[in-house]
Amino acid sequence: MKKRRLGNSDLYVTELGLGCMSIGTEEKTAFRIIEAALEEGINYFDTADLYEFGENERLIGKALKEYREQVVIATKVGNRWKDDKTGWTWDPSKDYIKEEVKNSLKRLGTDYIDLYQLHGGTLDDPIEETIEAFEELKAEGIIRYYGISSIRPNVIREYINKSNIVSVMMQYSMLDRRPEEEAMPLLHKHGISVVTRGPLAKGLLSDKLLEKASEKGYLDYSLEELKEILPSLKEKAAGSRSFTEAALQFNLANPAVSSIVAGASSPGQVHRNAEAVRSTPLTEEEMAFIKKITKANVYKDHR
């Protein structure tokens, strides 16, 4: 599988990464999904301390132990579980980040993290303090690089101006083109990679189409609009490809994107996603059609 450089780092990640949140907690099943990813040549595995109260990190670390030097492990920090596990609070403080990284290292069974990401962020955060925590961890060799997971242009701008992030994870798909307006061009200009999530728009951009549709629609789209747009996209943008192939190729066509982090709940899903990434890129005409009939969504409250 092809690899792309992550920002200005020396990390080269496969065009498809495994989003580990969906692998479950049953060890044998989780390991089979991870093995399928390795079989496909995937080297990028994304988790978070929040997932399954840390159990996800433990499974990832155990499954990848013998491949540690060949893979890129990314995890996240900032969401702090309440003592009773009924929910979590947001804590981007330096003290919490530097303490929580120790727990992630222990669960992952490693002495370093390739990419440590802030799991969100707002302008009300102590951003300089947060950056200081990441920079110190990098200097100590505990993390190799850091990034953020955010869809907020205002927060992204702050980190571009004040930090050495190498990546930003954000939601992006044919039906969610919000990052195209500002975030993606700005990040690309500064040599910072985009890692995308949600490329299938909750299943709407898979061959199941409207089976996954909600009465509420999706983002700016009403259910009636989806009924009109999705069949057209499948017919004229996907063509002989599966709809999943077209959806993933749409993401890879953006020059700011280094990798698509896609979840999988079965080995078969991993194999299908890998096949989609290896398929034929979209033509200029297909890209033009997609952008013609979909909306250039805008962020309404994340400026």
Side-chain angles (χ1 to χ4, degrees):
M1 183 173 290
K2 292 180 182 178
K3 296 177 182 177
R4 298 185 181 186
R5 188 180 182 187
L6 194 69
N8 60 5
S9 76
D10 61 1
L11 300 176
Y12 285 81
V13 295
T14 44
E15 291 182 331
L16 178 66
L18 180 64
C20 298
M21 184 173 68
S22 58
I23 64 173
T25 56
E26 203 284 309
E27 190 169 287
K28 288 183 179 179
T29 301
F31 282 13
R32 283 197 293 269
I33 295 170
I34 294 167
E35 286 166 6
L38 293 168
E39 288 169 8
E40 293 289 354
I42 292 170
N43 78 338
Y44 185 30
F45 296 83
D46 182 87
T47 181
D49 58 2
L50 186 73
Y51 303 160
E52 303 294 344
F53 308 105
E55 176 65 8
N56 196 264
E57 285 184 326
R58 189 193 69 79
L59 287 172
I60 299 306
K62 186 174 180 180
L64 295 177
K65 186 174 182 180
E66 62 181 287
Y67 305 98
R68 183 65 189 96
E69 298 303 314
Q70 288 79 51
V71 298
V72 174
I73 295 178
T75 191
K76 309 180 196 75
V77 67
N79 290 302
R80 186 173 193 162
W81 279 108
K82 295 178 181 178
D83 291 339
D84 60 6
K85 308 297 185 186
T86 58
W88 59 84
T89 57
W90 177 240
D91 190 348
S93 68
K94 179 178 178 179
D95 287 346
Y96 179 65
I97 292 170
K98 296 201 72 173
E99 186 61 33
E100 181 60 14
V101 73
K102 299 174 186 175
N103 296 322
S104 285
L105 290 170
K106 184 177 180 180
R107 289 188 292 260
L108 288 165
T110 184
D111 56 4
Y112 70 96
I113 293 168
D114 297 292
L115 180 66
Y116 204 33
Q117 302 160 103
L118 186 67
H119 204 172
T122 74
L123 286 183
D124 295 327
D125 295 344
I127 292 176
E128 288 82 2
E129 178 185 319
T130 302
I131 294 169
E132 190 173 273
F134 284 116
E135 288 289 347
E136 288 181 8
L137 291 174
K138 186 177 175 184
E140 294 164 14
I142 294 173
I143 65 173
R144 295 178 67 187
Y145 299 98
Y146 65 97
I148 62 173
S149 176
S150 178
I151 61 170
R152 297 175 180 269
N154 52 12
V155 172
I156 291 170
R157 284 194 297 269
E158 286 293 296
Y159 278 87
I160 288 174
N161 293 331
K162 297 178 179 179
S163 78
N164 294 304
I165 57 170
V166 299
S167 64
V168 176
M169 175 179 278
M170 61 178 66
Q171 184 171 301
Y172 181 56
S173 72
M174 292 183 195
L175 296 179
D176 185 359
R177 293 172 49 207
R178 291 175 295 179
E180 290 178 355
E181 180 189 11
E182 179 180 357
M184 283 178 151
L186 189 60
L187 289 165
H188 188 53
K189 176 183 176 181
H190 286 85
I192 299 167
S193 289
V194 172
V195 176
T196 64
R197 58 180 178 82
L200 302 184
K202 296 185 176 180
L204 293 171
L205 298 174
S206 72
D207 289 325
K208 293 182 179 180
L209 294 179
L210 292 161
E211 287 180 31
K212 299 284 186 177
S214 162
E215 289 293 332
K216 296 179 181 179
Y218 183 77
L219 295 180
D220 297 339
Y221 296 91
S222 67
L223 181 58
E224 290 304 312
E225 287 176 314
L226 291 175
K227 288 178 179 179
E228 180 180 347
I229 290 172
L230 292 179
S232 295
L233 283 173
K234 183 177 180 181
E235 178 186 356
K236 297 183 180 180
S240 61
R241 309 176 190 84
S242 71
F243 206 2
T244 296
E245 289 175 9
L248 297 192
Q249 289 300 326
F250 175 80
N251 279 33
L252 291 173
N254 192 295
V257 174
S258 285
S259 185
I260 302 166
V261 170
S265 55
S266 69
Q269 195 172 3
V270 175
H271 294 308
R272 288 191 293 274
N273 287 342
E275 182 181 358
V277 164
R278 292 192 181 98
S279 68
T280 308
L282 296 173
T283 65
E284 290 184 9
E285 292 76 14
E286 288 166 336
M287 287 293 293
F289 176 76
I290 292 167
K291 293 188 176 184
K292 179 181 178 181
I293 72 165
T294 60
K295 298 178 181 180
N297 324 76
V298 296
Y299 291 106
K300 296 180 174 65
D301 57 356
H302 287 169
R303 282 291 161 198

